[in-house]
Amino acid sequence: MHKIPHSLSSKLGVSILFLSILVFVASLGVMFVQSRLLLRKKATERITCVLDNTVLRVRSCMDRVETATNSNGWMALEYLDPDSLLAITHHVVRVNPHVNGCSITTEPDVFPEVGPFSVYSIREGDSVVTVREAAYDYYNQVWYKLPKTHARPGWTDPFNDYNENSLFTKNIIASYCKPLYLNNGRFIGVISTDLSFKRLKESIAEDQPYPHTYYALINHEGRYIIHPDSTKEFHKTIFEDLDAETQPELVALGHEMTTGGKGNMRVTVNGTSCLVCYQPVPDTNWCLALVIPDREILQPYYRLAYVIMALIVIGLIVILLITRKIVAQSIMPLHQLLAQSQTIAEGYYDEKYAHTERDDAVGRLQNSFATMQESIIRHVSDISRVADEAKLRNDELIKATQMAEEADRQKTVFIQNVTHQIRTPLNIIMGFAQVLRNSMGEIPHDEVKKIVDMMDHNTKTLSRMLLMLYDSSDAGVSNEQRMQKDEMVSCNEVVHESISFTREHFPEINVKFESELPDTYRIRTNGLYLMRTLRELLNNSAKYADGAYVLIRVQETAQTIRFIVEDHGPGMPEAYQKMMYEPFTKVNELSEGLGLGLPLSKRHSRSLGGDLFLDTSYHDGCRFILELPK
C-alpha cells in the first residue's frame, strides 16, 4: 500500500516533480544553449586573435629574410666579383639568425673567365659554411627561374635543397629570390635567401591557446607544408583520403584554404569534432590553420554542467520527499479504500470484504464494494470458462488460417515465377522460329547463325530449369539418395568442362582457372553431381559479378579437396545470407532464375560427403567454397 508505484501520494508527488523538472529543464536548457553559444563565440574570437598573431609572427620571420635579401642585394651589384660575392653571402647568413642559407648565382657570361658561377653559404650549427658551388643545372631551378621569368622578387614553395656534388642543407626550405639588374637594365643573376621550415615550425608552435591544438600550413595545391604528423608534410594534401559524400565540410575547408579564404569552420577530423580557424599568409600562396577540438573549447562548460546537474538532482529529490509527505498526510483516509480496490483490480475476487457500520461517504462506498464483489464472484468462474474455450478455438483457427494462406501464397509465387522463367525463353524460341520460317531465304547466314545460337541458348536454359525442378522434386531427392559415388573423377578435367559450359552461356566472361593439383589427380565421387554444382556456382558468378573477374581455384588440404569460385561484384547481401540455401529464394524477385541454384548446390555437396559455404571474410564480391573429401 505504501510502495511508490501504487501510492497516490507518490503519484501526486511525482506529478509535481515532473512539472518542476520541466521548468528546470526549460530554464537550464535556455541557459546552457546560450552559454554554449557564448563560449564558442569567445573561443572563436580568442583563437582568431591567436591565429592573427601567429600569421604576423610568420610574416615577421619572412620579412626579416626579405629585408636581409633586399638590404644586401645592392652590395652584389656594387662589388661584382667572385670573392666579394662569397663574402656577401657569408655576411648575410652570419648576421641574420633567421636565415638558413644564402646564394648568389650569375648568368654564364658575367664572369667569362670562370664561366657559370654560383656561391652558397649555409648555417651549420653555430658556424657558417661558404663555398663556390660545383657545376650543376641551377639555371633551371625554381629559385632561379622564378625571379628571372617574372622580373620581380618572390617566394618559392618549400623544397628539398639536395643536389649531388654540391653544398646543401638537410632542412626543408623556402627561398626568397630577387633578380639582380645592372643600371642599364641587364639581368646578371639572382640572390636567393633561405628560410628553414624547421625553425618556422618551432616558432609557430610557441603559442597554443589550448593543450591539444595544432597548426597546419598548406600551399595553393592543398599540400601540407607544416603538420603535427610529419609523414604528411610535402607528401599528402588536405584532399587525400576524403569522401566528398560523407566529409563535405573537409572538402569545403580545403577549397576555402587553397583559394586564399579567411574565416573559421567546424569540421570532423579523424572522428573528432573540431573548430578550424584559417587565413592566408600575406604575399604567399600559403594558408595557415589552427585546429582546436571541441572538447577543449567546451571543457569549462562540461565541468559547470556536471556541478549544476548534481545540484538539480539533489534539489529534485528533496522536493519529491517533501511533496510526498505533505500529500500522504492529506489523503490518509482514502488508503483503506485504495487497498480494497487494488486487491480486486489484481484479480483476487474470492476474498470477501465485511460490511462496515460507517454511514459516511467512505463507508457507503466500502459497502458498495463489498456487494459488488459478491456479485463478481458468481459470474467470474462462468466468464473465465467460456473465455478459455473461445480463446483455444480462436488460436487453432488463426493458426490453421495462417498456414493455409502461407501455403497458397507460396504456391502462387512459385507458379508465377516458374511460368515467367519458362515463358521468356519459350517466347524467344517461338519468335525466332517464326522469323526463320517466314524469312529463311532473306536472312544472311551470319544472322541465321546468331538466331540459331540464341535459340540453342534458350533451349539449354529451359533444359537447365527443368532439370533443377526435377532435382528439387521428390523424384530428384530419391534419385540423389541412390547416387553412386565410386567414380574416379579428375578434378581439373571436371573444372575445365564446367568452364566450357559456362562460356557457352556467357561467351563474354573470361573465367580464370588456377589449380594446385596435376591433371592426373583424381578423387572418388560422382562426376555428374560435382559438375552440376560447379556449373551453378560459375553461372551465379558470371550472372551477378561485374563481368571482368571470375576465378575458379582448386586447392588441396590434409583431408579434403577445395573448389573455390570467386568474383568481383556487389557480393551477397548480409540479410540474404541467412536464407540463401532455402529453395525458391532470390535476392531480386525480378531476376532470372528459379532460386534453386544455391539450394541444390548445397544439397548436392552434402550428398557427395562434403559441404558448400560462403567465405564471409572475402569482401570484393562473392567467394563460395565447395569442399569434398579425398
Side-chain angles (χ1 to χ4, degrees), residues 357-373:
E357 298 295 331
R358 295 178 56 176
D359 58 356
D360 56 7
V362 175
R364 291 195 297 272
L365 184 59
Q366 288 177 328
N367 289 332
S368 298
F369 263 91
T371 303
M372 179 186 66
Q373 193 267 344

Side-chain angles (χ1 to χ4, degrees), residues 44-63:
T44 303
E45 293 174 354
R46 177 187 176 188
I47 295 165
T48 302
C49 182
V50 171
L51 183 60
D52 290 339
N53 293 334
T54 304
V55 171
L56 289 176
R57 193 162 58 252
V58 171
R59 189 61 246 182
S60 176
C61 293
M62 299 173 68
D63 287 341

Side-chain angles (χ1 to χ4, degrees), residues 224-236:
Y224 289 111
I225 302 174
I226 293 178
H227 193 276
D229 183 358
S230 58
T231 61
K232 293 184 177 181
E233 294 179 346
F234 309 103
H235 298 291
K236 290 192 175 183

